[in-house]
Amino acid sequence: MKVLITGGAGFIGSHFVEYVLAKYPQAEIVNVDFLTYAAHPDTVERLSVLGGNRYHFYKMDICDPNIKNIFKKHAIEAVVHFAAESHVDRSILDPQAFVRTNIQGTQNLLQVARACGNPRFVHVSTDEVYGSLNPSDPTFTEQTPLDPNSPYAASKASSDLLVIASQRTYQQDLVITRCTNNYGPYQFPEKLLPLVIANALEDKPVPVYGDGMQVRDWIHVVDHCRGIDAVLRKGKAGEVYNISAQSEVPNLVLVKKLLALLGKPESLITFVGDRPAHDRRYGLNPQKIKSELSWNPQVTLDDGLKQTVQWYQVNRSWWEKVRNKDYFKYYQENYQPKTATSSEVQL
Ligand code: NAD
Ligand code: DAU
Protein backbone atom coordinates (compact mmCIF):
# COMPACT_ATOMS: atom_id res chain seq x y z
CA MET A 1 0.00 0.00 0.00
CA LYS A 2 1.18 3.55 -0.77
CA VAL A 3 0.54 5.71 2.28
CA LEU A 4 0.86 9.48 2.40
CA ILE A 5 1.75 10.73 5.85
CA THR A 6 1.51 14.42 6.69
CA GLY A 7 3.68 15.72 9.53
CA GLY A 8 5.87 12.62 9.38
CA ALA A 9 8.92 14.60 10.53
CA GLY A 10 7.25 15.48 13.84
CA PHE A 11 7.09 13.46 17.05
CA ILE A 12 4.21 11.03 16.48
CA GLY A 13 4.35 11.11 12.67
CA SER A 14 8.02 10.04 12.63
CA HIS A 15 7.25 7.14 14.98
CA PHE A 16 4.40 6.13 12.68
CA VAL A 17 6.71 6.19 9.64
CA GLU A 18 9.16 3.91 11.48
CA TYR A 19 6.34 1.66 12.66
CA VAL A 20 4.89 1.17 9.16
CA LEU A 21 8.29 0.63 7.52
CA ALA A 22 9.11 -2.07 10.07
CA LYS A 23 5.71 -3.78 10.18
CA TYR A 24 4.79 -3.76 6.48
CA PRO A 25 7.75 -4.67 4.24
CA GLN A 26 5.63 -3.99 1.13
CA ALA A 27 4.45 -0.54 2.22
CA GLU A 28 5.69 2.60 0.51
CA ILE A 29 5.61 5.86 2.41
CA VAL A 30 5.33 9.40 1.11
CA ASN A 31 6.05 11.89 3.88
CA VAL A 32 4.85 15.48 3.40
CA ASP A 33 6.11 17.87 6.04
CA PHE A 34 6.73 21.62 5.98
CA LEU A 35 9.61 21.26 8.46
CA THR A 36 8.52 23.85 10.99
CA TYR A 37 10.48 24.33 14.22
CA ALA A 38 8.76 21.15 15.54
CA ALA A 39 10.51 18.91 13.00
CA HIS A 40 13.96 18.07 14.31
CA PRO A 41 16.64 18.77 11.67
CA ASP A 42 17.98 15.18 11.91
CA THR A 43 14.64 13.43 11.36
CA VAL A 44 14.43 13.70 7.59
CA GLU A 45 17.83 12.09 7.13
CA ARG A 46 17.17 9.41 9.76
CA LEU A 47 13.91 8.34 8.13
CA SER A 48 15.28 8.36 4.61
CA VAL A 49 18.13 6.05 5.67
CA LEU A 50 15.59 3.75 7.35
CA GLY A 51 13.12 3.79 4.45
CA GLY A 52 15.49 3.53 1.48
CA ASN A 53 13.59 3.32 -1.80
CA ARG A 54 10.31 2.65 0.03
CA TYR A 55 10.36 6.20 1.41
CA HIS A 56 9.88 9.59 -0.29
CA PHE A 57 10.00 12.98 1.39
CA TYR A 58 8.54 16.31 0.27
CA LYS A 59 8.95 19.58 2.11
CA MET A 60 5.54 21.07 1.50
CA ASP A 61 2.84 23.02 3.25
CA ILE A 62 -0.43 21.09 3.69
CA CYS A 63 -2.24 24.32 2.77
CA ASP A 64 -0.74 24.13 -0.73
CA PRO A 65 -3.21 22.81 -3.35
CA ASN A 66 -0.23 21.55 -5.39
CA ILE A 67 -0.07 18.69 -2.94
CA LYS A 68 -2.39 16.98 -5.42
CA ASN A 69 0.63 16.44 -7.70
CA ILE A 70 2.16 14.26 -5.01
CA PHE A 71 -1.09 12.26 -4.62
CA LYS A 72 -1.14 11.67 -8.38
CA LYS A 73 2.54 10.95 -8.87
CA HIS A 74 2.56 8.26 -6.16
CA ALA A 75 -0.99 6.92 -6.71
CA ILE A 76 -1.72 7.38 -3.02
CA GLU A 77 -4.01 4.70 -1.53
CA ALA A 78 -4.22 5.92 2.07
CA VAL A 79 -3.54 9.11 4.04
CA VAL A 80 -2.65 9.50 7.71
CA HIS A 81 -2.87 13.16 8.61
CA PHE A 82 -0.66 14.19 11.56
CA ALA A 83 0.57 17.62 10.42
CA ALA A 84 -0.49 20.32 12.84
CA GLU A 85 0.60 23.09 15.10
CA SER A 86 0.46 21.02 18.27
CA HIS A 87 1.55 23.03 21.30
CA VAL A 88 -1.18 24.57 23.47
CA ASP A 89 1.02 27.36 24.92
CA ARG A 90 2.00 28.51 21.44
CA SER A 91 -1.67 28.57 20.41
CA ILE A 92 -2.34 31.00 23.23
CA LEU A 93 0.44 33.29 21.94
CA ASP A 94 -0.39 32.96 18.21
CA PRO A 95 -3.74 31.33 17.36
CA GLN A 96 -3.49 32.37 13.68
CA ALA A 97 -0.87 29.75 12.80
CA PHE A 98 -3.17 27.09 14.32
CA VAL A 99 -6.18 28.23 12.32
CA ARG A 100 -4.09 28.18 9.15
CA THR A 101 -2.43 24.77 9.45
CA ASN A 102 -4.94 22.83 11.52
CA ILE A 103 -8.14 24.07 9.88
CA GLN A 104 -7.25 25.36 6.40
CA GLY A 105 -4.57 22.71 5.92
CA THR A 106 -6.99 19.91 6.81
CA GLN A 107 -9.67 21.32 4.51
CA ASN A 108 -7.14 21.50 1.66
CA LEU A 109 -6.15 17.87 2.19
CA LEU A 110 -9.79 16.77 2.26
CA GLN A 111 -10.42 18.47 -1.08
CA VAL A 112 -7.27 17.07 -2.66
CA ALA A 113 -8.06 13.55 -1.43
CA ARG A 114 -11.56 13.85 -2.87
CA ALA A 115 -10.12 14.88 -6.25
CA CYS A 116 -7.54 12.08 -6.20
CA GLY A 117 -9.63 8.93 -5.92
CA ASN A 118 -10.89 9.27 -2.36
CA PRO A 119 -8.21 7.23 -0.54
CA ARG A 120 -8.84 6.03 3.01
CA PHE A 121 -7.99 9.03 5.21
CA VAL A 122 -7.23 8.89 8.94
CA HIS A 123 -7.44 12.28 10.64
CA VAL A 124 -5.32 12.25 13.80
CA SER A 125 -7.08 14.30 16.45
CA THR A 126 -6.90 14.74 20.20
CA ASP A 127 -8.82 14.29 23.45
CA GLU A 128 -8.52 18.06 23.99
CA VAL A 129 -11.51 18.63 21.68
CA TYR A 130 -13.79 17.31 24.47
CA GLY A 131 -12.72 20.02 26.93
CA SER A 132 -12.07 19.39 30.61
CA LEU A 133 -13.39 16.87 33.18
CA ASN A 134 -14.08 17.34 36.88
CA PRO A 135 -12.36 14.83 39.19
CA SER A 136 -15.40 12.53 39.55
CA ASP A 137 -16.74 12.77 35.97
CA PRO A 138 -16.83 9.63 33.82
CA THR A 139 -14.20 9.61 31.06
CA PHE A 140 -14.94 11.05 27.60
CA THR A 141 -16.56 8.74 25.05
CA GLU A 142 -16.87 9.32 21.30
CA GLN A 143 -20.39 10.69 21.99
CA THR A 144 -19.18 13.43 24.35
CA PRO A 145 -19.96 16.83 22.77
CA LEU A 146 -16.99 18.90 21.63
CA ASP A 147 -16.17 21.68 24.09
CA PRO A 148 -12.63 22.95 23.38
CA ASN A 149 -10.97 25.53 25.64
CA SER A 150 -7.65 26.53 24.02
CA PRO A 151 -7.15 27.91 20.51
CA TYR A 152 -5.25 24.67 19.74
CA ALA A 153 -8.17 22.51 20.87
CA ALA A 154 -10.65 24.74 19.01
CA SER A 155 -8.63 24.42 15.80
CA LYS A 156 -8.50 20.63 16.15
CA ALA A 157 -12.25 20.47 16.92
CA SER A 158 -12.90 22.60 13.81
CA SER A 159 -10.83 20.25 11.69
CA ASP A 160 -12.72 17.26 13.12
CA LEU A 161 -16.01 18.90 12.12
CA LEU A 162 -14.75 19.52 8.58
CA VAL A 163 -13.74 15.86 8.33
CA ILE A 164 -17.16 14.72 9.56
CA ALA A 165 -18.90 17.09 7.14
CA SER A 166 -16.82 15.82 4.18
CA GLN A 167 -17.65 12.24 5.04
CA ARG A 168 -21.37 12.98 5.28
CA THR A 169 -21.56 15.28 2.27
CA TYR A 170 -19.26 13.54 -0.19
CA GLN A 171 -19.16 10.00 1.28
CA GLN A 172 -15.38 10.28 1.64
CA ASP A 173 -13.58 7.37 3.29
CA LEU A 174 -12.68 9.30 6.45
CA VAL A 175 -12.00 8.15 10.01
CA ILE A 176 -10.98 10.17 13.08
CA THR A 177 -8.77 9.10 15.99
CA ARG A 178 -8.69 11.04 19.26
CA CYS A 179 -5.77 10.19 21.52
CA THR A 180 -4.52 11.28 24.92
CA ASN A 181 -1.12 12.76 25.88
CA ASN A 182 1.72 10.93 24.13
CA TYR A 183 5.23 10.45 25.49
CA GLY A 184 8.35 8.71 24.21
CA PRO A 185 11.63 9.34 22.34
CA TYR A 186 11.94 12.23 19.84
CA GLN A 187 9.33 14.52 21.45
CA PHE A 188 10.13 18.21 21.00
CA PRO A 189 11.41 19.55 24.35
CA GLU A 190 8.67 22.14 24.78
CA LYS A 191 6.16 19.48 25.93
CA LEU A 192 6.00 18.58 29.62
CA LEU A 193 7.89 15.28 29.65
CA PRO A 194 10.98 16.12 27.56
CA LEU A 195 11.08 19.63 29.05
CA VAL A 196 11.18 18.27 32.61
CA ILE A 197 13.80 15.66 31.70
CA ALA A 198 16.04 18.12 29.81
CA ASN A 199 15.80 20.83 32.49
CA ALA A 200 16.50 18.33 35.26
CA LEU A 201 19.49 16.88 33.41
CA GLU A 202 20.86 20.44 33.20
CA ASP A 203 19.98 21.07 36.88
CA LYS A 204 17.63 23.87 35.82
CA PRO A 205 14.28 24.68 37.48
CA VAL A 206 11.39 22.46 36.40
CA PRO A 207 8.32 24.66 35.78
CA VAL A 208 4.98 23.32 37.06
CA TYR A 209 1.91 25.34 36.08
CA GLY A 210 -0.53 26.43 38.82
CA ASP A 211 -0.91 23.87 41.61
CA GLY A 212 0.30 20.97 39.43
CA MET A 213 -2.87 18.99 40.13
CA GLN A 214 -4.10 18.99 36.52
CA VAL A 215 -4.56 15.41 35.35
CA ARG A 216 -3.36 14.06 32.01
CA ASP A 217 -3.97 10.57 30.56
CA TRP A 218 -0.61 9.25 29.29
CA ILE A 219 0.10 6.80 26.46
CA HIS A 220 3.35 5.61 24.92
CA VAL A 221 3.68 6.92 21.38
CA VAL A 222 4.11 3.43 19.88
CA ASP A 223 0.80 2.30 21.43
CA HIS A 224 -0.79 5.33 19.74
CA CYS A 225 0.78 4.25 16.42
CA ARG A 226 -0.64 0.74 16.88
CA GLY A 227 -4.08 2.28 17.41
CA ILE A 228 -3.83 4.42 14.29
CA ASP A 229 -2.74 1.36 12.31
CA ALA A 230 -5.80 -0.57 13.55
CA VAL A 231 -8.09 2.31 12.56
CA LEU A 232 -6.40 2.68 9.18
CA ARG A 233 -6.95 -1.00 8.37
CA LYS A 234 -10.24 -1.77 10.10
CA GLY A 235 -11.96 1.47 11.14
CA LYS A 236 -15.42 2.22 9.79
CA ALA A 237 -15.81 5.30 7.57
CA GLY A 238 -17.42 8.20 9.43
CA GLU A 239 -16.50 6.85 12.86
CA VAL A 240 -14.44 8.36 15.65
CA TYR A 241 -12.13 6.13 17.77
CA ASN A 242 -10.75 7.23 21.14
CA ILE A 243 -7.25 5.90 21.95
CA SER A 244 -6.17 5.77 25.59
CA ALA A 245 -4.05 3.58 27.86
CA GLN A 246 -6.18 4.79 30.82
CA SER A 247 -3.17 6.12 32.74
CA GLU A 248 -4.42 9.28 34.42
CA VAL A 249 -1.79 11.04 36.55
CA PRO A 250 -1.65 14.53 38.11
CA ASN A 251 1.21 16.57 36.61
CA LEU A 252 3.00 16.98 39.94
CA VAL A 253 3.01 13.22 40.53
CA LEU A 254 4.39 12.64 37.03
CA VAL A 255 7.10 15.27 37.49
CA LYS A 256 8.15 13.67 40.80
CA LYS A 257 8.29 10.22 39.13
CA LEU A 258 10.56 11.63 36.42
CA LEU A 259 12.86 13.32 38.93
CA ALA A 260 13.12 10.07 40.89
CA LEU A 261 14.03 8.13 37.73
CA LEU A 262 16.66 10.75 36.94
CA GLY A 263 18.03 10.79 40.48
CA LYS A 264 17.39 14.55 40.69
CA PRO A 265 16.00 16.42 43.73
CA GLU A 266 12.37 17.59 44.01
CA SER A 267 13.78 20.99 44.97
CA LEU A 268 14.11 21.63 41.20
CA ILE A 269 10.30 21.90 41.04
CA THR A 270 9.28 25.54 40.59
CA PHE A 271 5.61 26.48 40.66
CA VAL A 272 4.89 29.11 38.01
CA GLY A 273 1.76 30.97 36.85
CA ASP A 274 -1.03 28.84 35.41
CA ARG A 275 -1.86 28.41 31.70
CA PRO A 276 -4.99 30.47 30.85
CA ALA A 277 -8.13 28.27 30.60
CA HIS A 278 -5.97 25.32 31.69
CA ASP A 279 -7.96 22.09 31.33
CA ARG A 280 -8.13 20.43 34.75
CA ARG A 281 -8.45 16.81 33.73
CA TYR A 282 -8.38 14.64 30.59
CA GLY A 283 -9.50 11.01 30.69
CA LEU A 284 -10.59 9.01 27.68
CA ASN A 285 -12.72 5.87 27.37
CA PRO A 286 -11.14 3.49 24.79
CA GLN A 287 -13.78 0.70 24.92
CA LYS A 288 -14.83 1.18 21.29
CA ILE A 289 -11.39 0.65 19.72
CA LYS A 290 -10.72 -2.22 22.14
CA SER A 291 -13.91 -4.13 21.42
CA GLU A 292 -14.40 -3.27 17.72
CA LEU A 293 -10.80 -3.23 16.47
CA SER A 294 -9.08 -5.46 19.09
CA TRP A 295 -6.55 -2.77 20.00
CA ASN A 296 -4.93 -2.83 23.43
CA PRO A 297 -2.04 -0.79 24.79
CA GLN A 298 1.13 -2.80 25.42
CA VAL A 299 3.39 -0.40 27.34
CA THR A 300 2.74 0.27 31.03
CA LEU A 301 3.35 3.83 32.21
CA ASP A 302 6.15 2.75 34.57
CA ASP A 303 8.02 0.82 31.86
CA GLY A 304 7.41 3.53 29.27
CA LEU A 305 8.67 6.31 31.53
CA LYS A 306 11.78 4.36 32.46
CA GLN A 307 12.58 3.67 28.81
CA THR A 308 11.85 7.28 27.83
CA VAL A 309 14.02 8.81 30.54
CA GLN A 310 16.89 6.55 29.48
CA TRP A 311 16.47 7.60 25.85
CA TYR A 312 16.77 11.32 26.71
CA GLN A 313 19.78 10.57 28.94
CA VAL A 314 21.57 8.69 26.15
CA ASN A 315 20.49 11.02 23.32
CA ARG A 316 21.41 14.29 24.97
CA SER A 317 22.76 15.80 21.74
CA TRP A 318 19.34 15.30 20.08
CA TRP A 319 17.51 17.65 22.44
CA GLU A 320 20.46 19.98 23.04
CA LYS A 321 20.48 20.75 19.30
CA VAL A 322 16.97 22.25 19.39
CA ARG A 323 17.18 23.99 22.76
CA ASN A 324 19.79 26.58 21.88
CA LYS A 325 18.96 30.19 20.98
CA ASP A 326 20.33 29.89 17.42
CA TYR A 327 17.76 27.22 16.61
CA PHE A 328 14.84 29.50 17.44
CA LYS A 329 16.53 32.52 15.87
CA TYR A 330 16.69 30.61 12.58
CA TYR A 331 12.94 29.93 12.68
CA GLN A 332 12.07 33.48 13.68
CA GLU A 333 14.07 34.81 10.74
CA ASN A 334 13.30 32.19 8.09
CA TYR A 335 10.06 30.46 8.85
CA GLN A 336 7.21 32.38 7.32
CA PRO A 337 4.25 30.30 6.15
CA LYS A 338 4.04 30.77 2.41
CA THR A 339 1.03 31.66 0.32
CA ALA A 340 -1.14 28.79 -0.73
CA THR A 341 0.40 28.20 -4.16
CA SER A 342 4.07 28.89 -3.58
CA SER A 343 5.18 25.27 -3.50
CA GLU A 344 8.89 24.57 -3.75
CA VAL A 345 8.26 21.01 -4.81
CA GLN A 346 9.68 19.95 -8.14
CA LEU A 347 7.85 16.93 -9.51
P1 NAD B 1 4.60 17.83 16.36
O1 NAD B 1 4.42 19.27 16.64
O2 NAD B 1 5.72 17.09 17.00
O3 NAD B 1 4.76 17.60 14.79
C1 NAD B 1 3.95 18.28 13.86
C2 NAD B 1 4.60 18.11 12.48
O4 NAD B 1 3.76 18.79 11.52
C3 NAD B 1 5.99 18.76 12.37
O5 NAD B 1 6.90 17.88 11.73
C4 NAD B 1 5.75 20.00 11.50
O6 NAD B 1 6.87 20.36 10.70
C5 NAD B 1 4.56 19.55 10.66
N1 NAD B 1 3.78 20.69 10.17
C6 NAD B 1 3.32 21.75 10.88
N2 NAD B 1 2.67 22.63 10.08
C7 NAD B 1 2.71 22.09 8.83
C8 NAD B 1 2.19 22.49 7.57
N3 NAD B 1 1.52 23.65 7.42
N4 NAD B 1 2.37 21.69 6.49
C9 NAD B 1 3.07 20.50 6.63
N5 NAD B 1 3.59 20.09 7.78
C10 NAD B 1 3.42 20.86 8.88
O7 NAD B 1 3.20 17.16 16.70
P2 NAD B 1 2.86 15.74 17.35
O8 NAD B 1 2.92 15.86 18.81
O9 NAD B 1 3.65 14.71 16.66
O10 NAD B 1 1.32 15.62 16.95
C11 NAD B 1 0.94 15.06 15.69
C12 NAD B 1 -0.57 15.04 15.57
O11 NAD B 1 -1.12 14.29 16.64
C13 NAD B 1 -1.20 16.43 15.68
O12 NAD B 1 -2.25 16.49 14.75
C14 NAD B 1 -1.73 16.50 17.10
O13 NAD B 1 -2.86 17.32 17.17
C15 NAD B 1 -2.10 15.05 17.35
N6 NAD B 1 -2.03 14.60 18.75
C16 NAD B 1 -0.89 14.82 19.49
C17 NAD B 1 -0.84 14.34 20.80
C18 NAD B 1 0.40 14.54 21.65
O14 NAD B 1 0.36 14.21 22.83
N7 NAD B 1 1.50 15.05 21.13
C19 NAD B 1 -1.94 13.66 21.34
C20 NAD B 1 -3.08 13.46 20.56
C21 NAD B 1 -3.10 13.93 19.26
O1 DAU C 1 -4.08 15.54 25.30
C1 DAU C 1 -3.46 15.49 24.06
C2 DAU C 1 -2.64 16.73 23.87
O2 DAU C 1 -1.50 16.62 24.72
C3 DAU C 1 -2.19 16.95 22.42
O3 DAU C 1 -3.33 17.14 21.62
C4 DAU C 1 -1.25 18.16 22.32
O4 DAU C 1 -0.76 18.28 20.99
C5 DAU C 1 -0.10 17.97 23.27
O5 DAU C 1 0.73 19.11 23.25
C6 DAU C 1 -0.60 17.70 24.69
O6 DAU C 1 -1.20 18.88 25.25
P1 DAU C 1 -0.97 19.31 26.78
O7 DAU C 1 -1.23 20.74 26.91
O8 DAU C 1 -1.68 18.38 27.69
O9 DAU C 1 0.61 18.97 26.88
P2 DAU C 1 1.84 19.75 27.53
O10 DAU C 1 3.00 18.82 27.47
O11 DAU C 1 2.00 21.11 26.98
O12 DAU C 1 1.40 19.89 29.04
C7 DAU C 1 1.04 18.75 29.82
C8 DAU C 1 0.54 19.26 31.16
O13 DAU C 1 1.68 19.81 31.87
C9 DAU C 1 -0.45 20.39 31.08
O14 DAU C 1 -1.39 20.26 32.14
C10 DAU C 1 0.38 21.65 31.26
C11 DAU C 1 1.47 21.19 32.19
N1 DAU C 1 2.78 21.85 32.00
C12 DAU C 1 3.30 21.94 30.75
C13 DAU C 1 4.52 22.51 30.54
C14 DAU C 1 5.09 22.64 29.14
C15 DAU C 1 3.48 22.30 33.11
O15 DAU C 1 3.01 22.21 34.25
N2 DAU C 1 4.71 22.89 32.90
C16 DAU C 1 5.26 23.02 31.66
O16 DAU C 1 6.37 23.59 31.53
Side-chain angles (χ1 to χ4, degrees):
M1 180 172 259
K2 291 181 179 177
V3 187
L4 185 139
I5 292 175
T6 71
F11 167 48
I12 307 171
S14 63
H15 277 278
F16 192 72
V17 171
E18 275 198 66
Y19 175 88
V20 172
L21 286 171
K23 185 168 177 203
Y24 301 106
Q26 307 301 326
E28 213 175 291
I29 286 183
V30 178
N31 182 4
V32 176
D33 194 301
F34 202 33
L35 302 183
T36 69
Y37 80 92
H40 193 284
D42 297 348
T43 305
V44 173
E45 178 60 18
R46 183 171 61 84
L47 293 180
S48 69
V49 169
L50 266 180
N53 58 9
R54 294 199 287 134
Y55 175 79
H56 315 270
F57 176 75
Y58 295 94
K59 178 178 188 272
M60 195 172 196
D61 185 351
I62 57 164
C63 298
D64 189 336
N66 288 324
I67 212 164
K68 72 172 178 305
N69 296 330
I70 297 175
F71 275 69
K72 285 184 182 157
K73 177 177 171 160
H74 292 279
I76 293 303
E77 294 165 289
V79 178
V80 184
H81 173 34
F82 293 94
E85 289 291 341
S86 70
H87 192 43
V88 173
D89 293 327
R90 285 180 190 271
S91 81
I92 293 166
L93 296 172
D94 178 17
Q96 198 58 46
F98 288 70
V99 169
R100 185 179 179 282
T101 291
N102 300 1
I103 306 177
Q104 293 176 17
T106 301
Q107 179 55 32
N108 183 49
L109 286 172
L110 291 170
Q111 280 172 222
V112 167
R114 192 157 73 246
C116 295
N118 185 22
R120 160 130 291 205
F121 187 122
V122 179
H123 174 64
V124 179
S125 189
T126 169
D127 59 358
E128 301 208 7
V129 298
Y130 297 121
S132 181
L133 291 168
N134 290 315
S136 59
D137 286 343
T139 49
F140 298 123
T141 71
E142 290 81 359
Q143 276 72 49
T144 304
L146 304 189
D147 187 20
N149 289 310
S150 71
Y152 162 71
S155 70
K156 292 295 288 188
S158 306
S159 65
D160 286 16
L161 293 176
L162 288 169
V163 171
I164 291 165
S166 281
Q167 198 278 326
R168 291 182 184 165
T169 309
Y170 309 109
Q171 289 76 52
Q172 278 188 255
D173 188 5
L174 305 168
V175 218
I176 295 176
T177 60
R178 294 190 181 130
C179 189
T180 59
N181 282 66
N182 285 224
Y183 69 91
Y186 300 113
Q187 186 169 31
F188 197 84
E190 63 186 352
K191 305 280 166 65
L192 180 68
L193 238 106
L195 179 84
V196 168
I197 298 170
N199 278 20
L201 285 172
E202 291 181 335
D203 296 309
K204 289 181 177 160
V206 166
V208 171
Y209 298 166
D211 62 1
M213 294 314 289
Q214 306 83 5
V215 171
R216 293 294 180 266
D217 183 355
W218 294 96
I219 185 169
H220 191 274
V221 60
V222 176
D223 275 335
H224 184 190
C225 292
R226 290 188 188 103
I228 292 169
D229 178 31
V231 172
L232 175 64
R233 289 181 294 113
K234 303 185 281 188
K236 223 173 119 201
E239 295 289 321
V240 174
Y241 296 89
N242 287 345
I243 303 178
S244 161
Q246 295 171 289
S247 295
E248 291 187 37
V249 187
N251 291 340
L252 192 56
V253 173
L254 186 82
V255 168
K256 287 182 178 174
K257 268 180 194 278
L258 293 171
L259 291 172
L261 285 169
L262 289 159
K264 295 288 179 179
E266 290 185 7
S267 56
L268 288 177
I269 294 172
T270 307
F271 289 94
V272 298
D274 211 351
R275 177 185 275 176
H278 196 171
D279 288 332
R280 197 66 183 164
R281 175 183 162 224
Y282 300 145
L284 211 52
N285 181 331
Q287 280 322 306
K288 181 174 170 179
I289 190 170
K290 285 185 167 189
S291 60
E292 292 184 15
L293 307 186
S294 308
W295 171 87
N296 276 292
Q298 294 176 17
V299 186
T300 64
L301 185 60
D302 281 345
D303 286 351
L305 289 182
K306 219 178 284 168
Q307 178 236 80
T308 301
V309 164
Q310 277 168 8
W311 188 89
Y312 287 92
Q313 282 173 317
V314 172
N315 294 280
R316 207 173 163 125
S317 61
W318 185 90
W319 52 263
E320 279 177 344
K321 193 166 185 169
V322 294
R323 264 168 58 105
N324 70 51
K325 286 201 181 72
D326 288 345
Y327 183 77
F328 285 102
K329 199 165 157 247
Y330 170 81
Y331 280 94
Q332 268 157 15
E333 287 169 1
N334 296 292
Y335 178 69
Q336 295 297 330
K338 305 209 174 90
T339 53
T341 53
S342 64
S343 164
E344 291 168 7
V345 175
Q346 302 292 315
L347 287 171

